[in-house]
Amino acid sequence: MILFASNADTELLALRSVVDDLPAEVGGVRWFHPDRVDGLPALDGVDTVVVRLLGGIDAWKEPLTELRARCLDQGAALV
């Protein structure tokens, strides 16, 4: 499963418009807007986490550091 994070609504809308057409071997896709969630989403079943932040790392520095540590602990790739 892929977990996609973006603080750009248009990217989340674009992802939503294509996710149902992805090949089955891609697995599931979940997404979230980092500024609109309390805490980090669960990584259960997640193989790959993709983070796209307008404004760079400073836009979400502490949570990104925690997410990185969780990805390392669970063996999920972080892009």
Side-chain angles (χ1 to χ4, degrees):
M1 177 176 295
I2 298 170
L3 177 62
F4 183 83
S6 176
N7 58 358
D9 292 329
T10 53
E11 290 177 356
L12 298 175
L13 289 169
L15 177 63
R16 176 62 190 107
S17 73
V18 300
V19 74
D20 291 336
D21 296 328
L22 293 174
E25 55 269 8
V26 171
V29 179
R30 295 186 351 233
W31 57 88
F32 71 100
H33 191 299
D35 298 334
R36 296 188 182 137
V37 294
D38 293 327
L40 295 173
L43 295 181
D44 300 336
V46 172
D47 302 311
T48 305
V49 178
V50 178
V51 179
R52 165 83 162 93
L53 297 171
L54 299 175
I57 193 171
D58 290 334
W60 203 52
K61 191 170 188 165
E62 290 180 26
L64 185 58
T65 300
E66 182 182 341
L67 180 62
R68 182 179 181 272
R70 287 177 52 194
C71 286
L72 286 171
D73 287 345
Q74 295 187 22
L78 176 64
V79 180

